[in-house]
Amino acid sequence: MSHTLLVQWTIVPRIAPRALIACNRCRTTRAFVPSGKTRLNANGRRLDAWLIYRCSDCDNTWNRPIFERRHVGDIDPADLCALQNNDEIFIEKVAFDIDGLRRHAGQVEEFPDVHLRKAILQPAAGSPIRLEILFDLAVKTSLRTERLLSAELGLSRSRVATLADAGRVAAIPPGRNALQRALKDQMRVVIDLADEADRNAILTRAGP
């Protein structure tokens, strides 16, 4: 009989990262935000694709490369169709690809705000004394694990740290300072609540 409540938290960042680059109109570094538009250019059988960004101050544009000089036969047909039609889902995926943005912009401004959906994957048999959270990330986020646990479970960060030091909060897979690092897709956090007086309140906040 399992006394573990297994829940899934699906995390979707609300604000795409912004590129901090020199604006030739403002003559200083400005934040450039995704415009929601792409540009596709053909040179024979080779294609260039960009996501268009706009200066947050003067509306000047900057083209962030998606790919360059790519042979048309090497491009996923679905991606090519998305680019030709300014597909919103494809554009959002590119806009939230912070590693790709860093490769071209260098300095990036991130936002920790997220939209969170909670679902119960497996209810506990009997009275639950353990909570297991599976994190499902649509895209990367800079939000730290401990911060999300604190906000959503009604626990102070110091209490999360105390529980972790006592071995009653653990990340799977384990890692040094895993709770102080950014969330990772398919990461799990297991919390032993057996001795916590507010166990039921924590469990209630963990679910939908």
Side-chain angles (χ1 to χ4, degrees):
M1 179 179 294
S2 174
H3 292 283
T4 300
L5 172 66
L6 174 60
V7 299
Q8 178 176 282
W9 288 3
T10 300
I11 298 151
V12 182
R14 294 182 185 273
I15 305 173
R18 308 195 302 183
L20 300 178
I21 59 177
C23 176
N24 55 20
R25 285 187 188 171
C26 298
R27 299 186 182 278
T28 188
T29 298
R30 296 292 192 197
F32 279 69
V33 300
S35 69
K37 300 293 183 181
T38 58
R39 179 184 170 193
L40 188 64
N41 183 61
N43 187 348
R45 298 289 291 173
R46 297 192 177 275
L47 300 178
D48 299 299
W50 302 271
L51 177 60
I52 301 171
Y53 282 65
R54 293 191 179 277
C55 174
S56 58
D57 191 72
C58 74
D59 213 34
N60 189 21
T61 60
W62 170 67
N63 293 334
R64 167 192 168 182
I66 299 174
F67 54 75
E68 296 176 291
R69 310 299 293 168
R70 183 81 57 84
H71 192 279
V72 66
D74 295 332
I75 303 171
D76 187 318
D79 289 348
L80 184 56
C81 180
L83 284 163
Q84 291 170 332
N85 294 281
N86 275 310
D87 181 78
E88 291 183 2
I89 295 176
F90 176 84
I91 289 173
E92 183 178 76
K93 180 180 177 182
V94 175
F96 279 94
D97 176 13
I98 192 166
D99 291 334
L101 181 59
R102 281 200 181 102
R103 283 195 294 272
H104 298 288
Q107 190 176 2
V108 172
E109 182 179 16
E110 301 179 65
F111 300 91
D113 295 341
V114 298
H115 174 68
L116 182 62
R117 297 193 301 270
K118 300 176 183 178
I120 295 176
L121 296 184
Q122 180 179 304
S127 178
I129 58 174
R130 283 163 47 98
L131 172 63
E132 184 171 341
I133 304 169
L134 170 64
F135 297 106
D136 178 30
L137 274 62
V139 294
K140 280 189 175 182
T141 174
S142 60
L143 181 61
R144 294 191 304 179
T145 306
E146 63 170 358
R147 178 176 177 179
L148 184 63
L149 292 174
S150 176
E152 294 300 321
L153 299 180
L155 305 173
S156 66
R157 293 191 197 180
S158 60
R159 185 175 175 191
V160 172
T162 298
L163 289 170
D165 290 342
R168 293 166 59 192
V169 176
I172 304 172
R176 184 177 181 182
N177 299 323
L179 297 179
Q180 285 78 45
R181 297 182 181 275
L183 291 161
K184 292 183 178 180
D185 187 38
Q186 300 306 303
M187 172 185 176
R188 294 177 182 243
V189 168
V190 180
I191 307 175
D192 180 359
L193 298 171
D195 296 328
E196 303 305 307
D198 56 349
R199 176 175 69 244
N200 290 336
I202 295 171
L203 291 167
T204 297
R205 292 177 65 102

